[in-house]
Amino acid sequence: MIKKSLLLILALGLGCSAPKEKKEDKEDLNEHVLWYAQPASDWMEALPIGNGRLGAMIFGNPKNERIQLNEDSLWPGGPDWGDSKGSPKDLDHIRKLILKGKTSTADKEIIDRFSNKDIVKSHQTMGDLYLDFEHAGDIGNYRRSLSLNDALAEVSYTINGEQHHRKIFATAAEDAIIIQLSTTAEAGLNFSVNLDRPKDEGHKTVEVRNPAENQISMLGEITQMGAAKNSKPKPLDYGVKFETLLQAESDSGEIYSNGSGLKIEGAKEVTLYLVGNTSFYTEDFQQKNRLALEKLSKKTVAELLESHKKDYQELFTRVDFSLDEGVNGSIPTDKRLEAFKKGKEDRALITDLFQYGRYLLISSSRPGTNPANLQGLWNQHIAAPWNADYHLNVNLQMNYWPAEVTNLSELHEPLFDYTKRLVERGKNTAREQYGLEGAVLHNASDLWGAPYMQAREAYWGSWIHGGGWLAQHFWQHYLFTQDKEFLKTIAYPVLKEFATFYAGWLVKNEKTGSFVSFPETSPENSYINEQGERVALSYGSAMGHQIIAEVFDNTLKAAEILDIEDAFLAEIEEKRNKLTPGLKLGPDGRILEWTKAYEEPEKGHRHLSHLYALHPGSGITEVDSNLFVGAQKSIDYRLKHGGAGTGWSRAWMINFNARLFDPEAARENIHKFFEISLADNLFDLHPPFQIDGNFGYTAGIAEMLLQSHEGFLRILPALPEAWEQGHIKGLKARGNVLVDIVWNNNKVEKIRLQSPKEKNIKIKYDDMEKSIYLEAGKAIVLDKNLEKQ
């Protein structure tokens, strides 16, 4: 078994779950507001709200408002497309081709025998809410805003000197979207309210009616007439059933049904309560909607907003970040972004975007919901780009990089719940397709937890490590929270399933005695083989061996903590010791992406999979200077040839820079992220929209200011010179330690540390290193010399 001394490096002391820290200075938190002087002209300018499950995009048009609606379980079909394709004999055949050097043929065979090729089966929009106003006169004093501190969207304007105001929020506390409209106009508000949903390939998708004079019901079932499997049409006329139910209330004016919509006349103030439930969560989704509206109608908007803020701010206010640059409130966010893109650094916008990532995670991932997908929660399509699905070769994982370090550990839960669903089906895939025990996941999945291979090209989809990468999140959650019950009941069983698969998957190289993983790929990349052909499959890859090593290590460490010993653990320890290294240097000093120094046809490829061990792994640190330098050379080479072109890739680069203690490179990539990869509403552009870059950016900023993956706390490891003063309060380090850092003139001024359990930790800053004793529940403050104040 692995030695206990090694555990101390990673565990940083055992303890209980993370405390819900009470901020004494909530009212002093920096304000983070996105605002615009005009309505959104398209979807990528609209502002997102969400309660984890329900979401909306606010356009803010004064006369013809569109509020695009989303719910996280709206998918077509079901878990009925099988779990596998092909057989263990097919695997043997492909392995023989690779051993004979016939990799081009193997590329074709792995797709023909194992892959479901192109899949079209998409997360979909819930539809749209339209508010059409009978405004007469010119619009003035327009403002559309989103407060990240309050999770509140607002629209305000004047007509003929009279005020018009809208408040819109998605409350997790009440599981609803609330829209309050008010005016000072003597004639009041006169407008129509309608719900609608796009057609699916010309097919009607919903029935809209009025259950009551002040209600609209939109009842439907998710279909996908343009669905595809194996690159062939496979229409789906069934899926998740849902109802969106809206109720209008006003203490003035008149509300009545008008066809399938509502008409509101002469009202000074109107509240629209919108709820939506689906058959994925409950068979009684319509009854659940009605009970929700009954409950909502008993509370005032002020009460609903208060409960919403209390619930939301308990999460959001845990972290405060400032670079000590005030915001010029007279400049709209899109104009600030435009100036940034022209070279004017806006440090307040840097902190806004950091908190925006936390806002988006809170808004798209709450305990009991589905995890954030490729677009988080916000999707206007019937057939979204890449199905707005769950890509497992970096994108889904990147969505959750900020969860632990930015003190949102419980928001990780939807990913764990989803992975457990994946594991159950992945066990079938491992057994049926590969003849192995344990679980395997490929490159992408959907609401139903599809574990099968899906891609028409080997370089994209014939990757087997989606599960191995997800397993890292379980171990990291334990390291950050020190929740031993989670480790025992949730994390270890998942780790064991993936370790079991890898133990069976590995093949012994009879010449060297080492174990090799193959067929392998490096996500979405390819190389030139000995015959001069561009191919994907290989006899081992850097990332594959790095992930397998990590899964084995973390399984062994978890077993040690849980006091488990058995024959299976002895087997994976033996195979770990004889595993082909995932970290090798090529002749030019770069880390090899494959087991040989092949020529790369795409030298600036957006994935840097062979640097997994640098980040999000922890296998490359300054302890091994050769690997540390090799990682930097690999990055330099990619960037020289145009790498990091997509938003998520640029965000990953910021994390790499932080791990390599290169603050100026990190700052440069932050600037490029702003210049190239942000829409006006600050959504990440792949392009098109993918939310992973937003989350990766937030994680990267945190990584620049605090690191704990080496077994100790490293303070300000990559602070750019231009960020001469500022503070970050409420970050979490591994070992369940809360950390506040204040700096001035590029030097630490004070560090505040707190742990729920007593422990000794090691802390490093500049050339100083010190052991610190933390008393349970008691904060200590260190000065610039790491001495107690």
Side-chain angles (χ1 to χ4, degrees):
M1 293 294 292
I2 191 164
K3 301 299 182 184
K4 290 187 178 181
S5 59
L6 294 178
L7 300 177
L8 298 176
I9 295 174
L10 281 157
L12 281 172
L14 300 178
C16 61
S17 298
K20 294 183 178 179
E21 186 187 27
K22 294 182 180 179
K23 285 283 194 182
E24 296 178 357
D25 57 346
K26 278 187 179 181
E27 67 276 6
D28 297 327
L29 290 174
N30 288 277
E31 287 294 321
H32 299 278
V33 179
L34 313 184
W35 81 272
Y36 304 82
Q38 69 284 329
S41 60
D42 61 43
W43 193 87
M44 287 299 291
E45 295 177 7
L47 293 172
I49 61 170
N51 69 2
R53 187 183 65 83
L54 280 175
M57 295 290 285
I58 315 302
F59 284 69
N61 190 298
K63 296 185 178 181
N64 304 106
E65 173 67 290
R66 175 192 177 195
I67 298 176
Q68 188 266 317
L69 305 170
N70 279 111
E71 199 277 344
D72 71 7
S73 67
L74 295 185
W75 286 75
D80 54 357
W81 278 7
D83 296 328
S84 63
K85 181 182 176 184
S87 69
K89 289 183 178 180
D90 294 316
L91 177 61
D92 290 341
H93 173 70
I94 291 163
R95 281 178 166 165
K96 287 174 183 176
L97 289 173
I98 292 172
L99 291 173
K100 292 176 181 178
K102 298 181 178 181
T103 44
S104 179
T105 303
D107 275 8
K108 180 180 182 303
E109 291 290 318
I110 201 168
I111 295 301
D112 290 345
R113 293 174 184 244
F114 285 141
S115 179
N116 281 311
K117 299 183 183 176
D118 285 328
I119 294 285
V120 178
K121 192 179 188 183
S122 178
H123 174 257
Q124 297 184 13
T125 177
M126 189 164 71
D128 297 277
L129 168 62
Y130 295 103
L131 310 177
D132 296 305
F133 295 85
E134 297 173 11
H135 286 329
D138 294 332
I139 306 295
N141 302 309
Y142 181 90
R143 179 184 171 98
R144 175 173 56 104
S145 66
L146 174 64
S147 167
L148 305 183
N149 296 66
D150 299 330
L152 175 66
E154 296 184 80
V155 179
S156 61
Y157 52 92
T158 59
I159 300 178
N160 300 325
E162 300 291 350
Q163 296 290 330
H164 292 261
H165 190 207
R166 303 172 197 166
K167 292 182 179 179
I168 311 166
F169 57 98
T171 168
E174 307 291 345
D175 200 16
I177 294 173
I178 310 297
I179 305 162
Q180 184 188 55
L181 307 101
S182 60
T183 185
T184 62
E186 185 176 346
L189 293 165
N190 297 277
F191 65 102
S192 61
V193 183
N194 290 282
L195 288 171
D196 196 12
R197 188 170 187 272
K199 291 183 177 180
D200 176 14
E201 302 276 321
H203 295 264
K204 189 176 179 181
T205 60
V206 289
E207 293 289 339
V208 182
R209 61 187 183 88
N210 299 113
E213 281 296 301
N214 66 336
Q215 291 184 344
I216 307 174
S217 166
M218 183 167 66
L219 184 66
E221 182 173 3
I222 301 300
T223 61
Q224 190 118 50
M225 296 307 174
K229 182 183 180 185
N230 279 315
S231 300
K232 297 177 181 178
K234 192 175 179 65
L236 292 168
D237 61 359
Y238 62 97
V240 172
K241 299 179 177 65
F242 72 99
E243 183 192 42
T244 308
L245 186 60
L246 178 143
Q247 181 169 300
E249 300 282 357
S250 179
D251 56 5
S252 61
E254 186 178 0
I255 301 174
Y256 58 91
S257 60
N258 179 18
S260 59
L262 300 180
K263 182 72 175 177
I264 297 170
E265 295 179 345
K268 289 296 185 73
E269 186 175 284
V270 179
T271 303
L272 305 179
Y273 306 93
L274 188 143
V275 294
N277 279 286
T278 79
S279 61
F280 178 81
Y281 288 105
T282 175
E283 288 300 317
D284 297 327
F285 59 92
Q286 289 182 269
Q287 178 65 9
K288 189 171 183 179
N289 276 340
R290 278 142 189 80
L291 292 174
L293 282 183
E294 287 179 20
K295 183 180 176 183
L296 287 166
S297 62
K298 294 175 182 177
K299 296 184 179 182
T300 66
V301 172
E303 290 172 332
L304 293 170
L305 184 55
E306 182 181 1
S307 65
H308 160 65
K309 287 184 179 181
K310 182 179 180 181
D311 167 80
Y312 168 78
Q313 290 175 347
E314 198 285 319
L315 295 163
F316 184 79
T317 59
R318 294 176 187 176
V319 173
D320 185 35
F321 177 37
S322 171
L323 292 175
D324 281 10
E325 180 175 287
V327 178
N328 185 340
S330 65
I331 303 177
T333 301
D334 53 336
K335 300 303 180 185
R336 292 171 63 195
L337 179 61
E338 183 181 343
F340 204 135
K341 290 182 177 183
K342 292 179 180 178
K344 177 177 171 51
E345 183 179 65
D346 185 335
R347 291 197 295 276
L349 197 57
I350 288 172
T351 63
D352 285 343
L353 191 62
F354 170 85
Q355 290 288 31
Y356 192 46
R358 297 182 70 248
Y359 166 84
L360 292 171
L361 189 59
I362 296 168
S363 302
S364 63
S365 182
R366 291 286 197 106
T369 72
N370 286 299
N373 64 36
L374 268 179
Q375 295 190 191
L377 173 64
W378 302 277
N379 165 31
Q380 66 173 330
H381 302 283
I382 296 292
W386 300 286
N387 294 319
D389 64 14
Y390 297 107
H391 267 55
L392 310 184
N393 65 5
V394 66
N395 313 96
L396 177 58
Q397 290 88 344
M398 186 178 287
N399 285 0
Y400 287 88
W401 286 354
E404 301 295 339
V405 69
T406 73
N407 210 345
L408 297 171
S409 291
E410 58 268 64
L411 303 191
H412 230 150
E413 290 180 23
L415 183 68
F416 301 144
D417 293 341
Y418 178 65
T419 302
K420 287 190 288 183
R421 300 207 309 264
L422 288 169
V423 165
E424 289 310 304
R425 293 189 63 184
K427 287 159 71 174
N428 296 334
T429 311
R431 184 176 59 256
E432 296 167 5
Q433 187 163 307
Y434 300 124
L436 300 172
E437 295 303 309
V440 62
L441 304 175
H442 293 91
N443 63 298
S445 191
D446 58 23
L447 175 74
W448 311 109
Y452 45 70
M453 190 184 293
Q454 47 180 291
R456 67 178 179 276
E457 298 286 347
Y459 78 92
W460 183 61
S462 60
W463 186 70
I464 61 159
H465 298 293
W469 193 337
L470 286 172
Q472 184 196 73
H473 285 253
F474 289 77
W475 177 245
Q476 290 298 320
H477 182 73
Y478 167 72
L479 291 183
F480 276 95
T481 65
Q482 298 293 291
D483 186 343
K484 193 171 180 179
E485 184 63 22
F486 169 84
L487 183 68
K488 177 182 178 180
T489 61
I490 298 175
Y492 184 72
V494 169
L495 282 164
K496 187 176 180 181
E497 290 294 347
F498 292 122
T500 299
F501 173 78
Y502 286 138
W505 171 265
L506 292 171
V507 177
K508 192 170 187 178
N509 183 326
E510 297 301 334
K511 293 181 180 179
T512 65
S514 61
F515 285 94
V516 181
S517 172
F518 83 105
E520 273 287 0
T521 62
S522 196
E524 302 185 32
N525 206 356
S526 55
Y527 66 95
I528 304 299
N529 68 7
E530 288 81 354
Q531 291 78 38
E533 302 163 312
R534 181 171 181 162
V535 296
L537 294 190
S538 61
Y539 185 70
S541 74
M543 186 189 221
H545 288 133
Q546 289 170 26
I547 288 177
I548 293 171
E550 181 182 77
V551 169
F552 284 172
D553 287 344
N554 293 343
T555 303
L556 291 167
K557 292 164 193 170
E560 183 81 14
I561 292 166
L562 298 172
D563 198 26
I564 299 171
E565 290 192 49
D566 55 31
F568 162 71
L569 294 169
E571 178 189 358
I572 65 169
E573 184 172 32
E574 179 190 2
K575 289 184 174 178
R576 170 64 180 97
N577 290 335
K578 296 179 180 178
L579 182 66
T580 298
L583 291 168
K584 297 179 182 178
L585 295 177
D588 60 359
R590 288 186 292 140
I591 292 174
L592 291 178
E593 189 157 359
W594 296 275
T595 51
K596 295 181 181 179
Y598 292 112
E599 183 185 344
E600 302 158 73
E602 191 179 348
K603 294 178 173 60
H605 196 265
R606 61 195 177 279
H607 286 257
L608 285 103
S609 304
H610 52 313
L611 300 188
Y612 176 91
L614 176 64
H615 183 278
S618 56
I620 299 175
T621 68
E622 65 173 353
V623 172
D624 189 324
S625 59
N626 290 328
L627 291 177
F628 207 63
V629 172
Q632 184 64 64
K633 287 183 176 180
S634 298
I635 288 170
D636 293 343
Y637 184 86
R638 281 288 165 86
L639 291 178
K640 178 183 176 182
H641 292 92
T646 61
W648 63 262
S649 183
R650 184 70 62 184
W652 198 357
M653 193 65 70
I654 297 167
N655 286 271
F656 286 141
N657 297 149
R659 288 279 175 96
L660 290 168
F661 315 140
D662 192 345
E664 301 315 315
R667 180 169 173 256
E668 180 181 349
N669 280 308
I670 287 169
H671 281 225
K672 288 186 180 296
F673 187 71
F674 274 86
E675 292 163 10
I676 300 170
S677 302
L678 289 181
D680 280 352
N681 66 357
L682 303 190
F683 269 170
D684 165 55
L685 293 169
H686 179 278
F689 167 50
Q690 280 186 200
I691 205 167
D692 38 28
N694 288 104
F695 296 133
Y697 167 88
T698 295
I701 295 290
E703 204 71 27
M704 293 167 68
L705 304 176
L706 173 69
Q707 294 176 17
S708 59
H709 64 285
E710 299 166 276
F712 54 85
L713 275 62
R714 191 184 287 273
I715 306 298
L716 301 184
L719 181 70
E721 187 175 348
W723 298 3
E724 54 189 332
Q725 59 189 44
H727 69 253
I728 187 87
K729 298 180 179 179
L731 292 183
K732 190 192 290 187
R734 292 165 182 83
N736 201 12
V737 178
L738 293 176
V739 183
D740 297 351
I741 309 168
V742 180
W743 65 93
N744 193 20
N745 294 321
N746 299 103
K747 295 294 182 181
V748 160
E749 207 166 75
K750 65 178 180 179
I751 304 164
R752 182 181 181 274
L753 305 170
Q754 185 175 0
S755 167
K757 298 277 284 188
E758 73 167 332
K759 64 182 62 178
N760 288 295
I761 65 169
K762 187 165 74 173
I763 185 168
K764 283 189 176 184
Y765 169 64
D766 278 352
D767 296 328
M768 293 177 285
E769 181 178 319
K770 198 156 193 175
S771 293
I772 303 292
Y773 170 73
L774 297 179
E775 189 178 336
K778 185 176 180 180
I780 68 166
V781 178
L782 307 178
D783 64 16
K784 60 183 179 182
N785 297 313
L786 304 185
E787 298 291 341
K788 290 184 182 179
Q789 287 189 350

